[in-house]
Amino acid sequence: MKRCGWIAVYAAAAALLPTAIVAQADNSPVQQSGAVGTGSLSGSLQPTDSSMRETLGAPGLNGQQMSDRTFVRMAVESGIADVALAQLAVQKGSTDVKTLAQKLVDDHSAANKEMATVADSLGVLVPKKMGKDDQMEFDKLNGLSGKDFDTEYITFIAKAHWKHMHDYYMEVSVASDPGLATQVTQSMRTMREHLGMISKVAATDGITLPPRPPRPQRPDAASPPPPPPAAH
């Protein structure tokens, strides 16, 4: 009789087991397609390759692309200084210097906007103020007046424009971004015009300009590597 009782209990338990399993399955969390941790599934919450590269500073860039970004930051920083120094010259310079300086304010302000557009397209964070050396020159000029101011300003911007022309000349032959190459070419035309105007003002006002530095050798015109050593 006791054995019959245990058999009845086992039978009842067996009958309830599928129901319990179904209930447990209904209450358990279901892993949806694209849930955290699936990674390669569509709609994943894991960071994508592109967003990870942006977060880490785009490590997939090659050497020239990184060099382009460095150049853009340099160009924007020097452009800020060009405008600030020219604005100071508009206030403190002689008539000829004021006229030249206003032209530089207008042209460099426009060039800065165009270079900022290029920087934005490349994802470059650009400086918001001039560099330390240019700030020192600004402070120096701010303490001068009359002929001393004109001489220092004209001499400084002549040297600065030659340096920028050399930097741009080197960049235009190797720039990996077409938009950057176009902007560099346009800026070089503007700087050539400025150098002509600077020379005329210097001649009119009796200011001796430093000699023009030699043009640097472009990377694509570099001399060939030395021959291998002779075999013994």
Side-chain angles (χ1 to χ4, degrees):
M1 187 68 179
K2 182 183 291 186
R3 177 177 296 180
C4 292
W6 282 111
I7 291 174
V9 171
Y10 289 148
L16 293 174
L17 183 58
T19 303
I21 293 174
V22 172
Q24 182 179 359
D26 291 340
N27 293 329
S28 63
V30 177
Q31 181 118 356
Q32 299 287 344
S33 174
V36 175
T38 59
S40 62
L41 296 178
S42 175
S44 170
L45 298 181
Q46 293 287 345
T48 63
D49 290 344
S50 59
S51 65
M52 183 65 76
R53 283 196 297 271
E54 292 169 359
T55 302
L56 298 177
L61 297 177
N62 61 37
Q64 183 54 48
Q65 289 170 328
M66 294 297 292
S67 178
D68 289 346
R69 281 154 176 74
T70 299
F71 173 84
V72 169
R73 285 189 287 269
M74 177 277 295
V76 171
E77 184 176 84
S78 62
I80 293 171
D82 289 332
V83 172
L85 293 171
Q87 288 173 332
L88 185 63
V90 169
Q91 299 173 18
K92 305 189 65 172
S94 63
T95 301
D96 289 340
V97 172
K98 286 177 184 290
T99 301
L100 169 64
Q102 186 59 58
K103 171 68 172 173
L104 268 59
V105 169
D106 296 340
D107 289 349
H108 284 293
S109 294
N112 289 351
K113 291 180 180 178
E114 293 167 354
M115 189 61 77
T117 300
V118 174
D120 186 61
S121 71
L122 296 177
V124 178
L125 296 177
V126 296
K128 301 298 183 183
K129 60 182 181 180
M130 71 181 81
K132 292 181 179 179
D133 291 343
D134 289 326
Q135 182 63 57
M136 290 175 60
E137 181 64 24
F138 182 93
D139 295 340
K140 179 180 179 179
L141 283 167
N142 204 25
L144 300 176
S145 60
K147 183 69 172 181
D148 290 339
F149 177 91
D150 289 349
T151 300
E152 176 65 23
Y153 175 69
I154 293 297
T155 302
F156 179 82
I157 62 171
K159 292 188 292 185
H161 272 68
W162 280 123
K163 180 183 182 303
H164 296 163
M165 278 288 290
H166 287 183
D167 292 339
Y168 279 55
Y169 176 79
M170 296 293 286
E171 175 66 18
V172 74
S173 65
V174 295
S176 61
D177 181 77
L180 174 59
T182 298
Q183 179 56 39
V184 169
T185 300
Q186 293 174 350
S187 294
M188 289 177 67
R189 294 194 190 102
T190 300
M191 285 188 284
R192 287 192 189 98
E193 181 186 4
H194 290 173
L195 283 166
M197 297 174 66
I198 291 168
S199 296
K200 289 180 179 179
V201 171
T204 300
D205 292 2
I207 299 172
T208 302
L209 294 178
R212 172 180 174 174
R215 176 177 291 183
Q217 188 178 48
R218 281 178 171 172
D220 58 353
S223 57
H232 296 290

